[in-house]
Amino acid sequence: IETHWDEQPAQILPLLLNPLIENAFKYGISMQYPCFVRVGLIIENRVLTFTTENSIVPRKTLEKGTGLGLDNVRKRLALAYRGRHTFDAGLTDNETFAVRLTIKL
């Protein structure tokens, strides 16, 4: 976990980051395969930067994600931070999934 805060007041929507952290652990952790989860949160100059990166472990068809959590986060961002955020989520290679969110506070 990487964190940095410039100690300036900063507030975001309640529970906005939870689905992103939950997904990183849900799809990135396994007892059978090598795996990792990395989470970062930086607040500097009234800009929040949040990142997750996780391994992608093999899943059964019934356990695969639908993307609903990420879609809900996108919708909440569009409503609350229109024109003040960027959000990227996807595969970075065959074994890693990454999320990067920036919000101008």
Side-chain angles (χ1 to χ4, degrees):
I1 295 179
E2 174 192 353
T3 60
H4 173 73
W5 174 45
D6 63 6
E7 299 187 22
Q8 298 300 310
Q11 293 184 1
I12 61 169
L13 286 176
L15 305 174
L16 179 65
L17 304 179
N18 284 34
L20 304 175
I21 296 169
E22 289 172 0
N23 278 357
F25 280 90
K26 180 177 180 179
Y27 298 109
I29 295 296
S30 170
M31 297 299 285
Q32 300 168 328
Y33 302 98
C35 56
F36 69 90
V37 170
R38 293 185 192 102
V39 177
L41 178 63
I42 298 170
I43 302 172
E44 186 82 43
N45 298 322
R46 307 266 319 133
V47 175
L48 177 145
T49 303
F50 175 80
T51 59
T52 65
E53 186 178 3
N54 59 271
S55 51
I56 299 173
V57 297
R59 296 276 176 199
K60 297 176 187 171
T61 303
L62 294 176
E63 296 175 323
K64 291 191 177 184
T66 62
L68 183 61
L70 293 177
D71 286 343
N72 286 339
V73 169
R74 283 185 182 94
K75 289 175 185 175
R76 292 185 73 202
L77 287 166
L79 289 171
Y81 302 105
R82 183 172 304 277
R84 297 188 300 142
H85 77 280
T86 61
F87 181 72
D88 296 303
L91 297 174
T92 59
D93 58 34
N94 289 336
E95 298 175 6
T96 304
F97 188 87
V99 170
R100 180 174 178 87
L101 168 64
T102 60
I103 301 173
K104 294 178 185 174
L105 301 174

